[in-house]
PDB file of all heavy atoms in Angstrom:
ATOM      1  N   LYS A 674      51.818  35.120  42.364  1.00 80.00           N
ATOM      2  CA  LYS A 674      50.778  34.828  43.334  1.00 80.00           C
ATOM      3  C   LYS A 674      49.449  34.629  42.633  1.00 80.00           C
ATOM      4  O   LYS A 674      48.714  33.694  42.998  1.00 80.00           O
ATOM      5  CB  LYS A 674      50.716  35.857  44.446  1.00 80.00           C
ATOM      6  CG  LYS A 674      51.936  35.810  45.361  1.00 80.00           C
ATOM      7  CD  LYS A 674      51.844  36.752  46.517  1.00 80.00           C
ATOM      8  CE  LYS A 674      53.047  36.603  47.397  1.00 80.00           C
ATOM      9  NZ  LYS A 674      53.021  37.500  48.537  1.00 80.00           N
ATOM     10  N   SER A 675      49.113  35.456  41.693  1.00 85.00           N
ATOM     11  CA  SER A 675      47.853  35.259  40.961  1.00 85.00           C
ATOM     12  C   SER A 675      47.893  33.969  40.131  1.00 85.00           C
ATOM     13  O   SER A 675      46.849  33.282  40.067  1.00 85.00           O
ATOM     14  CB  SER A 675      47.598  36.487  39.998  1.00 85.00           C
ATOM     15  OG  SER A 675      47.345  37.603  40.725  1.00 85.00           O
ATOM     16  N   ALA A 676      48.999  33.644  39.543  1.00 83.00           N
ATOM     17  CA  ALA A 676      49.130  32.420  38.792  1.00 83.00           C
ATOM     18  C   ALA A 676      48.948  31.149  39.732  1.00 83.00           C
ATOM     19  O   ALA A 676      48.306  30.206  39.334  1.00 83.00           O
ATOM     20  CB  ALA A 676      50.461  32.313  38.145  1.00 83.00           C
ATOM     21  N   GLN A 677      49.450  31.277  40.951  1.00 81.00           N
ATOM     22  CA  GLN A 677      49.293  30.144  41.834  1.00 81.00           C
ATOM     23  C   GLN A 677      47.797  30.000  42.270  1.00 81.00           C
ATOM     24  O   GLN A 677      47.329  28.895  42.389  1.00 81.00           O
ATOM     25  CB  GLN A 677      50.195  30.334  43.101  1.00 81.00           C
ATOM     26  CG  GLN A 677      51.625  30.149  42.788  1.00 81.00           C
ATOM     27  CD  GLN A 677      52.522  30.482  43.957  1.00 81.00           C
ATOM     28  OE1 GLN A 677      52.435  31.563  44.508  1.00 81.00           O
ATOM     29  NE2 GLN A 677      53.385  29.521  44.270  1.00 81.00           N
ATOM     30  N   VAL A 678      47.133  31.116  42.464  1.00 84.00           N
ATOM     31  CA  VAL A 678      45.716  31.092  42.880  1.00 84.00           C
ATOM     32  C   VAL A 678      44.892  30.532  41.724  1.00 84.00           C
ATOM     33  O   VAL A 678      44.063  29.650  41.913  1.00 84.00           O
ATOM     34  CB  VAL A 678      45.200  32.471  43.316  1.00 84.00           C
ATOM     35  CG1 VAL A 678      43.717  32.440  43.499  1.00 84.00           C
ATOM     36  CG2 VAL A 678      45.886  32.919  44.565  1.00 84.00           C
ATOM     37  N   ILE A 679      45.171  31.007  40.513  1.00 85.00           N
ATOM     38  CA  ILE A 679      44.459  30.509  39.310  1.00 85.00           C
ATOM     39  C   ILE A 679      44.718  28.976  39.200  1.00 85.00           C
ATOM     40  O   ILE A 679      43.786  28.200  38.931  1.00 85.00           O
ATOM     41  CB  ILE A 679      44.860  31.212  38.015  1.00 85.00           C
ATOM     42  CG1 ILE A 679      44.424  32.645  38.071  1.00 85.00           C
ATOM     43  CG2 ILE A 679      44.439  30.488  36.782  1.00 85.00           C
ATOM     44  CD1 ILE A 679      45.060  33.544  36.956  1.00 85.00           C
ATOM     45  N   ASN A 680      45.961  28.561  39.400  1.00 81.00           N
ATOM     46  CA  ASN A 680      46.269  27.128  39.273  1.00 81.00           C
ATOM     47  C   ASN A 680      45.559  26.313  40.321  1.00 81.00           C
ATOM     48  O   ASN A 680      44.993  25.249  40.044  1.00 81.00           O
ATOM     49  CB  ASN A 680      47.766  26.962  39.447  1.00 81.00           C
ATOM     50  CG  ASN A 680      48.196  25.516  39.435  1.00 81.00           C
ATOM     51  OD1 ASN A 680      47.966  24.759  38.479  1.00 81.00           O
ATOM     52  ND2 ASN A 680      48.741  25.007  40.526  1.00 81.00           N
ATOM     53  N   ILE A 681      45.516  26.795  41.572  1.00 82.00           N
ATOM     54  CA  ILE A 681      44.810  26.057  42.653  1.00 82.00           C
ATOM     55  C   ILE A 681      43.328  25.928  42.358  1.00 82.00           C
ATOM     56  O   ILE A 681      42.753  24.876  42.486  1.00 82.00           O
ATOM     57  CB  ILE A 681      45.088  26.762  43.986  1.00 82.00           C
ATOM     58  CG1 ILE A 681      46.573  26.535  44.390  1.00 82.00           C
ATOM     59  CG2 ILE A 681      44.175  26.189  45.094  1.00 82.00           C
ATOM     60  CD1 ILE A 681      46.971  27.377  45.610  1.00 82.00           C
ATOM     61  N   PHE A 682      42.734  27.064  41.923  1.00 84.00           N
ATOM     62  CA  PHE A 682      41.290  27.051  41.645  1.00 84.00           C
ATOM     63  C   PHE A 682      41.014  26.052  40.487  1.00 84.00           C
ATOM     64  O   PHE A 682      40.142  25.246  40.598  1.00 84.00           O
ATOM     65  CB  PHE A 682      40.826  28.414  41.276  1.00 84.00           C
ATOM     66  CG  PHE A 682      39.342  28.437  41.019  1.00 84.00           C
ATOM     67  CD1 PHE A 682      38.444  28.402  42.100  1.00 84.00           C
ATOM     68  CD2 PHE A 682      38.848  28.507  39.764  1.00 84.00           C
ATOM     69  CE1 PHE A 682      37.092  28.414  41.873  1.00 84.00           C
ATOM     70  CE2 PHE A 682      37.503  28.521  39.486  1.00 84.00           C
ATOM     71  CZ  PHE A 682      36.597  28.472  40.569  1.00 84.00           C
ATOM     72  N   SER A 683      41.778  26.112  39.469  1.00 79.00           N
ATOM     73  CA  SER A 683      41.549  25.216  38.324  1.00 79.00           C
ATOM     74  C   SER A 683      41.853  23.778  38.708  1.00 79.00           C
ATOM     75  O   SER A 683      41.104  22.847  38.307  1.00 79.00           O
ATOM     76  CB  SER A 683      42.395  25.609  37.070  1.00 79.00           C
ATOM     77  OG  SER A 683      43.785  25.452  37.342  1.00 79.00           O
TER      78      SER A 683
END
Side-chain angles (χ1 to χ4, degrees):
K674 288 184 181 182
S675 292
Q677 288 174 308
V678 171
I679 291 168
N680 177 60
I681 290 169
F682 183 76
S683 67

